[in-house]
Amino acid sequence: FEGLDVESIRAEFPILEREFDGQQVVYLDNAATTQTPDPVVDAMSEYYRRHNANVHRGIHHLSQEASERYEGAHDRVAEFVNADGREEIIFTKNTTEGENLIAYAWGLNELEAGDRVVLTEMEHHASLVTWQQIAKQTGAEVEYIRVDDTGRLDMDHARELIDDDAAIVSAVHVSNTLGTVNPVSELTDLAHEHDALSFIDGAQAVPNRPVDVSEIDADFYAFSGHKMAGPTGIGVLYGKRDLLEEMEPYLYGGGMIRKVTFEDSTWGDLPWKFEPGTPPIAEAVGLEAAIDWLEGIGMERIQAHEEELAAYAYDRLEAEGDVEIYGPEGGPDRGGLVSFNLEGVHAHDLTSIMNDHTVAVRAGDHCTQPLHDKLGVPASTRASFYVYNTREEIDELVAALDDARQLFA
Ligand code: PMP
């Protein structure tokens, strides 16, 4: 692929010009949230200036326009991830809500003692905590597919755990801590061979690689707008239509019903059945604009750019000699992020030194506490990349290590 024109991409992000103490920000915290390009901000601003109204097909012109845009955004998302129409696209608040929606609407009703929920040791708390708590309420057991020494899933262990007792397999597509790209089609096939469902957490996948939910064949697939150049406050839950049709709603209220009497209620069509109350309308407009913007660049090219940056960061950090890196080496098995520790320096101290250099990275357990326990460290520092990042920015990150060594090691 032809490389990205990073300079003109950066011109659409005024925030990247911000300076602190005379130094321009180096934003390497994209796994937490990505920055928002002008066309997305403009689309949302235009919506509020010219089209704002509540949806659900009000009779007046503005409500009709808002409804068309909100509904149309579902179509655009469906096309983007190759779902079979808007019925399979539920707008949520974020990935976390997608996990909870399925855990409550399906898990709480369907799981029972003797059922197994199969997760991976690299699950984000969004899925790990949710299924753990639903399992407690239903008597189901949770088992975790082991992560091996290279930061990849032990697929022999996966084959052991995904047997006829397995009811659902929930796996992260790209780990937000290890960077590992998991074989989600294989996991889904295993689940289906044993009549189990599959839920894929795509929070770190959809922003930076082409994702085709039909090809993966996952039953459910979730992601967040704010990690893909879109706004906060909106996420997507994809679900296979027949499953969503069978499921009871998770939240109740206006906009999701067909008929209500004092005694009982019936539910509206998909996807509205799962979207009660006033939804994130401007955010849906922003998400659609983000998808247009990403596709304007090309998801294959974005993936290539991120793989290149991750491999470069991995190699540069590895060459330092006193940096421990978690997860697979750079290549097709790693998404655009690198978590690491500098010998003798706590991740929070290192990250604070990085901030003195206006390099924005994240310290902590990245919502994967059990995985950090397994790695034997309380925390790590994570650098995560997006379309606007450059090798020079990674050089700045590596240069800041020296200060940390002098101060702390
Ligand atoms: N899963 C993964 C893999 C993530 O990286 C994140 C965000 N850190 C989430 C789930 C949760 O996303 P959100 O906070 O948008 O719900």
Side-chain angles (χ1 to χ4, degrees):
F1 298 104
E2 201 190 317
L4 300 188
D5 180 0
V6 173
E7 209 172 310
S8 61
I9 288 174
R10 288 181 74 92
E12 296 189 276
F13 294 84
I15 200 169
L16 298 176
E17 288 162 25
R18 289 229 29 217
E19 295 187 354
F20 297 88
D21 301 325
Q23 303 175 103
Q24 192 170 333
V25 70
V26 173
Y27 189 78
L28 301 179
D29 194 18
N30 294 288
T33 203
T34 51
Q35 298 302 342
T36 321
D38 283 342
V40 174
V41 178
D42 291 347
M44 291 175 74
S45 158
E46 228 272 311
Y47 168 77
Y48 276 122
R49 285 168 187 276
R50 310 260 319 153
H51 309 282
N52 183 42
N54 211 327
V55 292
H56 304 312
R57 304 239 149 229
I59 288 171
H60 63 78
H61 289 305
L62 286 175
S63 176
Q64 284 180 31
E65 277 185 15
S67 301
E68 270 164 33
R69 287 180 161 231
Y70 181 69
E71 291 170 12
H74 289 72
D75 299 333
R76 185 72 180 94
V77 172
E79 184 190 16
F80 181 57
V81 297
N82 197 25
D84 188 17
R86 65 167 65 162
E87 293 80 4
E88 300 195 323
I89 301 296
I90 299 161
F91 285 165
T92 58
K93 189 165 68 203
N94 49 33
T95 305
T96 305
E97 189 183 314
E99 291 273 4
N100 276 273
L101 197 158
I102 296 304
Y104 278 88
W106 178 83
L108 208 51
N109 289 313
E110 300 293 333
L111 289 173
E112 49 190 46
D115 284 339
R116 182 177 303 138
V117 174
V118 180
L119 306 179
T120 78
E121 287 181 337
M122 60 174 99
E123 284 319 285
H124 188 280
H125 295 167
S127 107
L128 195 154
V129 178
T130 305
W131 289 109
Q132 186 184 62
Q133 295 307 313
I134 292 294
K136 274 190 191 165
Q137 291 183 53
T138 55
E141 57 162 356
V142 179
E143 296 278 357
Y144 299 91
I145 302 169
R146 261 193 307 270
V147 173
D148 70 17
D149 291 342
T150 70
R152 294 176 177 85
L153 290 179
D154 175 346
M155 290 304 286
D156 288 333
H157 193 218
R159 279 182 279 274
E160 266 173 50
L161 292 182
I162 305 172
D163 64 8
D164 287 345
D165 288 337
I168 189 163
V169 177
S170 184
V172 68
H173 192 162
V174 176
S175 162
N176 64 309
T177 298
L178 300 172
T180 318
V181 181
N182 287 320
V184 286
S185 301
E186 216 178 314
L187 289 168
T188 299
D189 288 348
L190 275 174
H192 290 166
E193 278 166 30
H194 296 279
D195 289 329
L197 298 177
S198 89
F199 188 120
I200 306 299
D201 168 354
Q204 300 295 347
V206 172
N208 34 44
R209 59 192 54 240
V211 168
D212 182 327
V213 291
S214 302
E215 193 183 301
I216 295 170
D217 200 27
D219 299 295
F220 307 109
Y221 192 105
F223 52 101
S224 298
H226 69 97
K227 293 182 197 283
M228 50 187 289
T232 55
I234 188 164
V236 174
L237 172 68
Y238 156 83
K240 283 187 182 160
R241 186 186 307 215
D242 52 341
L243 291 170
L244 294 178
E245 261 160 14
E246 280 169 30
M247 271 167 38
E248 280 296 299
Y250 160 54
L251 296 169
Y252 302 105
M256 50 83 73
I257 50 83
R258 185 178 307 282
K259 173 98 179 108
V260 181
T261 66
F262 284 123
E263 287 73 37
D264 207 357
S265 306
T266 55
W267 315 133
D269 292 332
L270 289 174
W272 326 121
K273 173 176 132 181
F274 291 102
E275 296 186 1
T278 301
I281 308 164
E283 289 78 0
V285 169
L287 180 62
E288 173 158 2
I291 291 172
D292 289 344
W293 187 82
L294 290 171
E295 287 203 323
I297 297 171
M299 294 311 296
E300 283 93 356
R301 290 171 75 210
I302 294 172
Q303 178 178 357
H305 181 74
E306 294 215 24
E307 279 177 5
E308 205 261 327
L309 288 180
Y312 181 72
Y314 188 98
D315 291 347
R316 285 236 43 198
L317 288 167
E318 171 126 294
E320 293 290 297
D322 56 355
V323 175
E324 187 179 9
I325 308 170
Y326 309 105
E329 70 284 356
D333 282 0
R334 178 181 281 276
L337 63 94
V338 180
S339 300
F340 59 95
N341 268 303
L342 177 63
E343 211 175 278
V345 184
H346 194 284
H348 286 105
D349 292 329
L350 177 60
T351 299
S352 160
I353 297 284
M354 295 280 168
N355 186 50
D356 292 342
H357 291 253
T358 63
V359 176
V361 290
R362 185 152 294 248
D365 57 45
H366 321 303
C367 297
T368 55
Q369 265 181 33
L371 177 65
H372 276 78
D373 287 344
K374 184 184 162 100
L375 295 170
V377 291
S380 58
T381 295
R382 179 181 71 191
S384 51
F385 315 114
Y386 211 40
V387 277
Y388 35 69
N389 289 126
T390 63
R391 284 181 170 223
E392 290 70 34
E393 291 181 303
I394 293 167
D395 293 340
E396 290 197 41
L397 168 98
V398 175
L401 293 173
D402 251 349
D403 266 8
R405 283 189 194 100
Q406 276 168 25
L407 269 161
F408 292 105

